[in-house]
Amino acid sequence: MTVTIYDVAREANVSMATVSRVVNGNPNVKPSTRKKVLEVIERLEYRPNAVARGLASKKTTTVGVIIPDISNIFYAELARGIEDVATMYRYNIILSNSDLNEEKELTLLDNMYGKQVDGIVMMTERVTDPLADKMGHSPVPIVLAGSIDESNHLPSVNIDYTEATYEAVKQLIENGNERIAFISGSFNATINKKYKYQGYVKALEEAGIPIDEALIFDDVLTYDQGMKVYNHVSKLAQPATAYFVGSDEPAIGVIHAAQDDEKIVPIDIEVCSFENSKLARMVRPQLSSVVLPLYDIGAVSMRLLTKIMNKEDIEDKQVMLPYRMESRNSTR
Amino acid sequence: MTVTIYDVAREANVSMATVSRVVNGNPNVKPSTRKKVLEVIERLEYRPNAVARGLASKKTTTVGVIIPDISNIFYAELARGIEDVATMYRYNIILSNSDLNEEKELTLLDNMYGKQVDGIVMMTERVTDPLADKMGHSPVPIVLAGSIDESNHLPSVNIDYTEATYEAVKQLIENGNERIAFISGSFNATINKKYKYQGYVKALEEAGIPIDEALIFDDVLTYDQGMKVYNHVSKLAQPATAYFVGSDEPAIGVIHAAQDDEKIVPIDIEVCSFENSKLARMVRPQLSSVVLPLYDIGAVSMRLLTKIMNKEDIEDKQVMLPYRMESRNSTR
DNA sequence: CTGAAAGCGCTAACAC
DNA sequence: GTGTTAGCGCTTTCAG
């Protein structure tokens, strides 16, 4: 039925080995026989079977990608970065959603191992012990994208979340705010709980502003949740005048809730986000945000993975990408 | 190094065949030997090699997914639908972005064939002849998701784009609008050029409103492009009073441009979109939109594919999903 | 219920 | 430059 390397060999009066050589671009083939083989390949429409190749060579030229949820722009942007450089290096991507569920992450890793991927790029909120253990015993290299492994054993690509947050909050303080709410994603996430939060605390302490637990919220991920938090905070005896929000969607929720509350952003209320997806430009006023370069984090992670799979020497396996602040009109 | 089925067989004092049987849940194994084998598998941490399995069985339990661009929420939503039911049926997904480039689509198909995927779900703007040809000669089943194959040879999952557009435009007409702009994505896309446009024409003709080319725009995909189109149309001698926009992003651009123009939406200007992503609720006023059930289209496509791969009888290979209108505050 | 053996289609020494 | 020959790790008849 399907034409195999053997069929090509027979038709071209050469051995399988020679066909294999021309298919794989091995230079040790006389131009004339290469030509002959190529012709037969064309005529028979021969297409190498990647599975057989994978079994024989122990390389599948596919890498696994485990992310929380592809339908979230946040992660989709990362995925695109990964995919683009994967394509560049001729790798295919097996994509799986973990929904931030540790059980699922563990299963997916096993699944990827079973599929004999050549490497894995993973994004997760927290590298728990079971995860660290399974990844530590991985048969293939793994790179963490935008994720922190506190033991620092795994290669990873991140930005300095603490500094970025510190700078953003400091700016809010310099603008005259003393009541600054910290609206975060899940505190189960290492990045939120230990890094961004620390930056927030550092900025406030430096300015001599006391930390008020009443202004700190975690698990705020959606537009609606952002609105809800604003509506709660605005009714406090001492409401916040500025909001540092962990991502764009809830930040927009905060802005709209503030506007519904007859407040003018950024005059009465300032809002700063931490993401800068294309949503940031699609609100009025446009959203000021720390730029989290998701696409780049994905791309660099994949690039790092190719190097490791290729057994190249890596100077530093914990890559820190630069970040910047995009000041638009939701802050003064 | 890695433990194989052979190692397990030896340790358990059975044959490879028996191990294979227990791994694959074949009932023809005595409970006691099954138990014994399972223990060894556990002890040795045996993990079946999917590549070897794929070569021997000619089934890889992975399906290819070709979509235009995963970083676009529109397609990401679709991808999630596909992935969810793929997972449900134990398939993995190889995900590739085509960027709507025919050349790339052709290459990706070949690539997928080579990887021996068991099936393919594809979304594309237009099934060109070369594409139809290559898909027609596919070694594995293919399902088109949210894409039209005009020859109707390929299984596909869609909604009735023409009727949906017709109804939406008709509503705009009933609201008293006579100057209704048709802001579309690329006219290279069959769905836009032949289906949605036809619905627009039908609604206008039925109402005796002449078609005005000056109100028809294609290739409008982004927020900025939406703004630009509004700014152009609003300066016409007879500007539009209503906009039917092909997707959410440019629809929001139109709304914001209208607001910058001191117009009140939906009093002075009505805007209706065709997508209903979560963006629709994140603008003020919230966006009225035809609901394009991307997630469902993805899920149903994948489900259909599993049936075909499974050689089940399919009543109808051209599935039409229901749609509905979500009336919010950008229309009256 | 279990085992033996023949591949699946290809790569990778190793000879010549 | 080219051919021969083992496998890669598993499934799948076919016997028994």
Side-chain angles (χ1 to χ4, degrees):
Chain A
M1 263 243 16
T2 63
V3 9
T4 74
I5 199 173
Y6 175 75
D7 300 318
V8 176
R10 184 165 33 67
E11 281 292 307
N13 288 313
V14 296
S15 69
M16 289 163 53
T18 298
V19 178
S20 176
R21 286 191 188 95
V22 348
V23 168
N24 293 296
N26 184 318
N28 292 358
V29 181
K30 188 160 48 159
S32 65
T33 73
R34 174 188 307 281
K35 184 155 172 287
K36 183 174 59 177
V37 171
L38 252 15
E39 277 167 9
V40 176
I41 286 179
E42 177 111 353
R43 180 154 57 78
L44 267 43
E45 296 186 25
Y46 167 70
R47 192 184 297 120
N49 179 325
V51 174
R53 183 183 282 188
L55 184 57
S57 69
K58 300 186 163 306
K59 295 201 169 313
T60 54
T61 63
T62 104
V63 307
V65 174
I66 300 176
I67 59 175
D69 175 14
I70 193 63
S71 68
N72 184 319
I73 355 170
F74 193 87
Y75 306 117
E77 199 61 44
L78 180 95
R80 189 47 143 113
I82 295 170
E83 223 267 334
D84 279 356
V85 353
T87 300
M88 203 173 300
Y89 288 88
R90 306 252 118 83
Y91 284 97
N92 281 112
I93 278 318
I94 293 187
L95 195 278
S96 291
N97 300 111
S98 70
D99 290 317
L100 253 13
N101 174 334
E102 184 195 12
E103 211 51 56
K104 225 163 160 182
E105 293 174 322
L106 256 11
T107 310
L108 289 175
L109 281 170
D110 264 328
N111 186 16
M112 299 283 182
Y113 297 165
K115 290 265 173 167
Q116 311 296 118
V117 296
D118 295 338
I120 295 173
V121 176
M122 174 153 182
M123 176 177 244
T124 183
E125 283 199 330
R126 186 146 65 111
V127 179
T128 59
D129 289 346
L131 268 177
D133 183 59
K134 187 166 294 289
M135 296 172 102
H137 292 88
S138 171
V140 294
I142 298 184
V143 171
L144 289 175
S147 314
I148 301 285
D149 163 30
E150 294 187 85
S151 73
N152 263 26
H153 284 332
L154 293 166
S156 61
V157 178
N158 288 287
I159 67 165
D160 188 333
Y161 308 102
T162 304
E163 271 304 292
T165 305
Y166 165 74
E167 281 181 29
V169 175
K170 188 175 166 194
Q171 182 63 54
L172 257 14
I173 294 172
E174 284 170 359
N175 290 357
N177 298 286
E178 298 220 333
R179 300 286 291 167
I180 302 174
F182 182 76
I183 316 297
S184 173
S186 167
F187 270 174
N188 181 51
T190 310
I191 289 174
N192 293 332
K193 177 88 181 277
K194 304 217 175 157
Y195 290 65
K196 292 198 201 170
Y197 181 62
Q198 190 185 313
Y200 169 77
V201 169
K202 180 178 163 197
L204 292 206
E205 282 182 347
E206 203 174 273
I209 301 174
I211 308 295
D212 183 351
E213 292 289 341
L215 296 181
I216 296 171
F217 298 82
D218 68 336
D219 274 320
V220 183
L221 297 161
T222 66
Y223 176 77
D224 290 338
Q225 288 169 337
M227 295 192 77
K228 198 173 296 179
V229 165
Y230 173 87
N231 291 328
H232 174 82
V233 172
S234 65
K235 294 189 185 68
L236 256 31
Q238 300 180 59
T241 57
Y243 291 74
F244 177 81
V245 190
S247 57
D248 288 353
E249 250 193 76
I252 296 175
V254 168
I255 289 180
H256 283 162
Q259 290 170 338
D260 289 349
D261 190 30
E262 314 278 280
K263 295 285 191 281
I264 294 175
V265 181
I267 307 300
D268 307 319
I269 300 287
E270 289 191 75
V271 179
C272 180
S273 178
F274 194 115
E275 174 173 353
N276 196 48
S277 65
K278 56 182 168 184
L279 285 183
R281 294 182 50 249
M282 293 169 59
V283 227
R284 298 309 175 83
Q286 295 189 339
L287 192 54
S288 297
S289 180
V290 172
V291 178
L292 216 203
L294 264 332
Y295 180 92
D296 295 343
I297 290 178
V300 172
S301 296
M302 184 64 211
R303 180 65 185 105
L304 178 58
L305 183 61
T306 63
K307 285 184 186 165
I308 301 175
M309 292 188 296
N310 222 21
K311 298 192 172 16
E312 292 176 30
D313 280 335
I314 317 288
E315 37 326 333
D316 192 354
K317 297 200 175 186
Q318 332 287 337
V319 179
M320 277 294 184
L321 257 31
Y323 61 87
R324 58 175 224 282
M325 184 71 204
E326 188 72 61
S327 291
R328 282 187 280 246
N329 307 319
S330 66
T331 54
R332 296 191 288 268
Chain B
M1 263 240 19
T2 61
V3 8
T4 73
I5 201 172
Y6 176 75
D7 301 318
V8 177
R10 184 166 31 70
E11 280 291 309
N13 288 312
V14 295
S15 70
M16 288 162 55
T18 299
V19 178
S20 176
R21 287 189 187 97
V22 347
V23 167
N24 293 297
N26 185 318
N28 292 358
V29 181
K30 189 161 49 158
S32 66
T33 71
R34 174 187 307 281
K35 182 155 172 288
K36 184 174 58 178
V37 171
L38 252 13
E39 278 170 8
V40 176
I41 286 179
E42 176 111 353
R43 181 155 56 78
L44 267 44
E45 297 186 25
Y46 167 70
R47 192 184 297 121
N49 179 324
V51 174
R53 181 182 285 189
L55 184 58
S57 70
K58 301 187 162 306
K59 296 203 169 311
T60 55
T61 63
T62 105
V63 307
V65 175
I66 301 177
I67 57 175
D69 175 14
I70 192 63
S71 68
N72 184 320
I73 354 170
F74 192 89
Y75 307 117
E77 198 61 44
L78 180 96
R80 189 49 144 112
I82 296 170
E83 224 266 333
D84 279 357
V85 352
T87 300
M88 204 173 300
Y89 287 88
R90 304 251 119 84
Y91 284 97
N92 281 112
I93 278 316
I94 293 187
L95 196 278
S96 290
N97 300 111
S98 70
D99 290 316
L100 253 13
N101 173 334
E102 184 195 12
E103 210 51 54
K104 225 164 160 183
E105 292 175 322
L106 257 9
T107 309
L108 288 175
L109 281 170
D110 263 327
N111 185 15
M112 299 284 183
Y113 297 165
K115 290 264 172 166
Q116 312 296 119
V117 296
D118 296 337
I120 295 174
V121 176
M122 175 153 183
M123 176 177 245
T124 183
E125 282 198 332
R126 187 146 66 112
V127 180
T128 59
D129 289 346
L131 268 177
D133 184 60
K134 185 166 293 289
M135 296 173 104
H137 292 88
S138 171
V140 295
I142 299 184
V143 171
L144 289 175
S147 314
I148 302 285
D149 162 30
E150 294 188 84
S151 72
N152 261 26
H153 284 332
L154 293 167
S156 62
V157 179
N158 288 286
I159 66 166
D160 188 333
Y161 307 102
T162 304
E163 271 303 294
T165 304
Y166 165 74
E167 281 181 29
V169 175
K170 187 175 166 196
Q171 182 62 55
L172 258 14
I173 294 172
E174 284 170 1
N175 290 356
N177 297 286
E178 299 220 332
R179 301 286 292 166
I180 302 173
F182 183 76
I183 317 297
S184 173
S186 167
F187 269 174
N188 181 53
T190 310
I191 289 174
N192 294 331
K193 178 90 181 275
K194 305 220 175 156
Y195 291 64
K196 291 197 202 170
Y197 182 62
Q198 191 186 313
Y200 169 76
V201 169
K202 180 177 163 200
L204 292 207
E205 282 180 348
E206 204 173 273
I209 302 174
I211 308 296
D212 183 351
E213 292 289 341
L215 295 182
I216 294 170
F217 298 82
D218 69 336
D219 273 320
V220 183
L221 298 162
T222 66
Y223 175 77
D224 289 338
Q225 289 168 337
M227 295 192 79
K228 198 173 296 177
V229 165
Y230 173 86
N231 290 329
H232 173 82
V233 172
S234 64
K235 293 189 185 67
L236 256 33
Q238 300 182 58
T241 57
Y243 291 75
F244 178 79
V245 190
S247 58
D248 288 353
E249 253 194 74
I252 296 176
V254 167
I255 289 180
H256 283 163
Q259 290 170 337
D260 289 350
D261 190 30
E262 314 277 280
K263 295 285 190 281
I264 294 174
V265 181
I267 308 298
D268 306 318
I269 300 286
E270 288 191 76
V271 179
C272 180
S273 177
F274 194 115
E275 174 173 353
N276 195 47
S277 67
K278 58 182 167 185
L279 284 183
R281 292 182 52 250
M282 292 168 60
V283 227
R284 298 310 174 84
Q286 295 189 340
L287 193 54
S288 297
S289 180
V290 172
V291 178
L292 216 204
L294 265 331
Y295 179 92
D296 295 342
I297 290 177
V300 172
S301 297
M302 185 63 213
R303 180 65 186 105
L304 177 58
L305 183 61
T306 63
K307 286 184 186 165
I308 301 175
M309 292 188 298
N310 222 21
K311 299 188 173 17
E312 292 176 29
D313 281 334
I314 317 289
E315 39 323 334
D316 193 354
K317 297 200 174 188
Q318 331 287 336
V319 179
M320 277 295 185
L321 257 31
Y323 61 85
R324 56 175 227 282
M325 183 70 203
E326 187 73 61
S327 291
R328 283 186 281 245
N329 307 318
S330 67
T331 53
R332 295 191 289 269

